[in-house]
Amino acid sequence: MKWTISQIQKHRNKDFLIDEFVRMDSIKETEPTIREVSPIHLTGRADISATRVTFHIRIDGHLILPCSRTLVDVKYPIDVETTETFMLNSHDYEADEEVHQVTGDVIDLEPIIREILLVEVPMQVFCDDSAGQEGAPQSGKDWEVIEEQEKSEKLDPRLAGLAKFFEDSKDSSD
């Protein structure tokens, strides 16, 4: 994902379409919780002018992350759209703009893609219990995992008499 400025300027009045697969395995060294990175599919286009190059990119792929509860591998999808602008002349730079300065003669998208992927890594990810994975046990001796809905639907047997009291009072008020 590197282009020299002269390569890009050749496409100034033409469509500059991007459709590439990129390996981002180096991201695992930066973020140790990432176990695997699929080939990242980059699609989009670039708008090229004399002073700037604006990339409109869609980043698509997935990361393999550990489940926060069980440490089982979880496939976490990545689907991000971004717009990145590179200034070709440093004197056209305005402080309120979010742009990248071109250093040297090469525009490199790889560090930006790496940064976007790192930002997309969630704090916690949980495996889907219904996916048949070797997840956390859902019950044990004298305990079981219950969902919030199940908890609200279950009625404590000690309060059953009280529930009947309220039903009786509703019937008598009608």
Side-chain angles (χ1 to χ4, degrees):
M1 298 301 308
K2 292 182 183 181
W3 300 278
T4 63
I5 294 174
S6 61
Q7 284 176 323
I8 287 180
Q9 288 296 341
K10 288 179 186 176
H11 296 280
R12 188 185 308 180
N13 296 325
K14 303 175 192 170
D15 287 339
F16 188 78
L17 299 178
I18 300 168
D19 189 5
E20 294 187 30
F21 283 92
V22 179
R23 298 291 308 177
M24 299 295 293
D25 292 327
S26 63
I27 197 171
K28 294 187 291 187
E29 297 167 6
T30 308
E31 179 60 47
T33 61
I34 298 174
R35 293 182 176 169
E36 199 63 44
V37 180
S38 73
I40 302 299
H41 189 204
L42 300 174
T43 55
R45 64 183 171 80
D47 296 330
I48 304 165
S49 72
T51 59
R52 67 176 63 200
V53 178
T54 304
F55 291 94
H56 305 278
I57 301 173
R58 180 174 185 170
I59 303 167
D60 198 14
H62 67 268
L63 305 174
I64 303 294
L65 302 169
C67 173
S68 296
R69 202 175 337 173
T70 63
L71 299 180
V72 171
D73 287 350
V74 177
K75 186 176 180 179
Y76 186 77
I78 300 291
D79 188 7
V80 179
E81 291 185 13
T82 184
T83 301
E84 303 295 332
T85 302
F86 287 84
M87 298 301 294
L88 302 178
N89 299 327
S90 60
H91 57 80
D92 292 334
Y93 175 74
E94 294 180 21
D96 60 340
E97 289 184 300
E98 283 192 38
V99 296
H100 307 281
Q101 292 293 320
V102 176
T103 54
D105 196 27
V106 177
I107 294 176
D108 187 8
L109 282 179
E110 188 173 322
I112 294 163
I113 303 300
R114 182 182 304 117
E115 181 180 328
I116 291 169
L117 289 174
L118 287 172
V119 168
E120 287 297 309
V121 175
M123 297 283 284
Q124 292 182 332
V125 63
F126 296 104
C127 63
D128 186 13
D129 295 329
S130 63
Q133 296 176 346
E134 295 288 326
Q138 297 299 308
S139 63
K141 184 178 179 185
D142 298 330
W143 70 273
E144 69 177 305
V145 175
I146 60 172
E147 297 292 325
E148 190 67 32
Q149 292 173 344
E150 293 174 16
K151 183 179 176 184
S152 63
E153 292 172 5
K154 287 186 179 181
L155 183 61
D156 190 344
R158 298 172 291 181
L159 301 176
L162 185 59
K164 289 179 186 176
F165 173 76
F166 286 117
E167 287 175 9
D168 292 340
S169 65
K170 284 182 183 177
D171 293 335
S172 62
S173 64
D174 291 334

